[in-house]
Amino acid sequence: MADEKRSRSVRSALWHDGRVRLALGLVGLIVAAELLSNWSPAVESFVITTLINVMIVVGLYLLIGNSGVVSFGQISFMALGAYMTGLITVEASRKEFLLPDLPSWLSSLHLGTLPALVIVVVLVGLIAALVGIPLMRLSGLSASIATLSLLIISNVLITQSSSITGGNQTFIGVPVTTTTEVALVGAILAIFVAIWFRRSRIGLLLRASRDDEPAARAAGVSVTKERVVAFGISGALIGLAGAFYAHFVGSFSPDDFYFEITFTTLAMLVVGGLYSLEGAVVGALLISTIQEMLGRLENGEGLGPIHATLHDGVTAIVLACIVIAVMIFRPSGLMGHRETDDVEPADEEDRPAPVVPADDPEAAT
């Protein structure tokens, strides 16, 4: 009986070890992605889109979850990553035809996908950090409104820079190189970067300022500096997701990086849990799946034995209702504050017994 109890306690403790959950979750993600991608081209497209969403939401979590600053402008860096990798990887002859007014040095530049991705991560991260210097001096609603302004400004710049981006026209000709395996590597990389940042000294100081900013400043924490670092790393991850997206669809327009994807990805984070990396991944997977199912019904494609056709806009209404329900009944999200590196006692009996002073007979009784 004692051996069985000990064995159950060990199994329960292993399950509550965040590192074990992380390993099992990653293995499950890899296996599921590989199996589903072999199902059909449509399912493969859904898997890749979902993994890119995971990258975006994890990038949002890295900033919002650690700093508490809700940013509506991170998709600007997704757009920057997409257009930047497009300008670098599209063939020179095609750029001369599509963008005749492009500067000569940029028109003749042509690199492979991997070097382009490295350049995108570095440059977008630096640009995000520079933009974050004034923005991250703000807190609360002021910071959120300022980042929303960033999203609007970036969209206007893209649409008005027709000689470089093509303006409102669709940017075409990007090599399609994002496969399921590539998207998997990107999603896992984003998860490990988020774990590394959370465990770092900067991440710890940032969460201290999130929980009590005046106290953190009084203790000597440079809140603005920590937020700028998080803003830059978050921008780099989301810029990389934008590059993966560009190399997945091959063509895109400014509207692909505006309000719709901004609020959809934020909804994923809210549903999963603003302050939980596990929640970010779960929210991205759950909302992406719901979107895919309802989108198929809206398009009249059917869903297995279900052949009903939904009116346009039903998907947006359902997602909005889900967000409202979660905020009412589960304000901290589906996963609460659970983190991948948390180690929790599995059962009440596994918790350490309180220490009772030997000279306190009343406490002992």
Side-chain angles (χ1 to χ4, degrees), residues 63 69-77 131-155 227 231 259 262:
L63 173 65
V69 177
V70 178
S71 173
F72 294 99
Q74 299 306 98
I75 295 301
S76 302
F77 305 116
V131 171
I133 291 175
L135 294 180
M136 292 299 99
R137 295 178 180 274
L138 305 173
S139 299
L141 183 60
S142 300
S144 299
I145 294 175
T147 55
L148 179 60
S149 302
L150 172 64
L151 178 67
I152 297 172
I153 291 170
S154 66
N155 183 265
R227 287 179 179 175
F231 199 82
F259 285 120
T262 294

Side-chain angles (χ1 to χ4, degrees), residues 68-343:
V69 177
V70 178
S71 173
F72 294 99
Q74 299 306 98
I75 295 301
S76 302
F77 305 116
M78 182 183 181
L80 184 59
Y83 278 97
M84 191 178 292
T85 193
L87 291 171
I88 295 175
T89 57
V90 172
E91 296 179 359
S93 58
R94 183 168 293 185
K95 279 191 288 188
E96 291 178 0
F97 173 72
L98 297 174
L99 300 169
D101 297 326
L102 200 63
S104 58
W105 66 271
L106 191 55
S107 178
S108 59
L109 180 62
H110 175 65
L111 297 176
T113 302
L114 184 58
L117 293 178
V118 175
I119 292 173
V120 165
V121 170
V122 174
L123 291 183
V124 174
L126 290 175
I127 293 172
L130 290 174
V131 171
I133 291 175
L135 294 180
M136 292 299 99
R137 295 178 180 274
L138 305 173
S139 299
L141 183 60
S142 300
S144 299
I145 294 175
T147 55
L148 179 60
S149 302
L150 172 64
L151 178 67
I152 297 172
I153 291 170
S154 66
N155 183 265
V156 171
L157 289 176
I158 290 172
T159 55
Q160 296 301 315
S161 303
S162 56
S163 61
I164 298 177
T165 64
N168 284 314
Q169 297 180 358
T170 301
F171 193 105
I172 63 176
V174 182
V176 179
T177 57
T178 300
T179 61
T180 302
E181 292 74 18
V182 172
L184 261 175
V185 171
I188 293 172
L189 175 64
I191 291 171
F192 275 105
V193 169
I195 293 173
W196 163 79
F197 184 82
R198 183 180 183 275
R199 293 179 175 180
S200 68
R201 180 176 179 273
I202 295 177
L204 179 61
L205 295 176
L206 200 55
R207 289 194 302 280
S209 70
R210 178 198 71 188
D211 297 333
D212 194 334
E213 184 177 339
R217 291 186 183 276
V221 176
S222 179
V223 177
T224 301
K225 183 181 73 173
E226 319 300 347
R227 287 179 179 175
V228 168
V229 173
F231 199 82
I233 298 175
S234 170
L237 284 180
I238 295 176
L240 180 62
F244 278 10
Y245 175 80
H247 288 288
F248 168 56
V249 295
S251 60
F252 48 85
S253 65
D255 288 340
D256 294 334
F257 311 105
Y258 209 27
F259 285 120
E260 182 177 354
I261 190 171
T262 294
F263 291 114
T264 299
T265 50
L266 280 172
M268 293 175 182
L269 184 60
V270 169
V271 170
L274 280 173
Y275 302 139
S276 169
L277 177 56
E278 289 187 15
V281 176
V282 169
L285 296 177
L286 177 62
I287 298 300
S288 296
T289 302
I290 294 174
Q291 269 191 311
E292 177 69 13
M293 294 169 62
L294 295 178
R296 285 178 174 272
L297 294 177
E298 280 190 12
N299 295 332
E301 299 176 13
L303 192 65
I306 303 175
H307 297 287
T309 301
L310 300 178
H311 292 288
D312 292 341
V314 171
T315 301
I317 293 175
V318 171
L319 292 183
C321 291
I322 291 174
V323 172
I324 292 172
V326 169
M327 295 183 72
I328 292 175
F329 299 106
R330 184 76 176 178
S332 59
L334 297 178
M335 303 303 292
H337 289 73
R338 177 177 293 179
E339 289 292 359
T340 52
D341 54 351
D342 286 343
V343 181

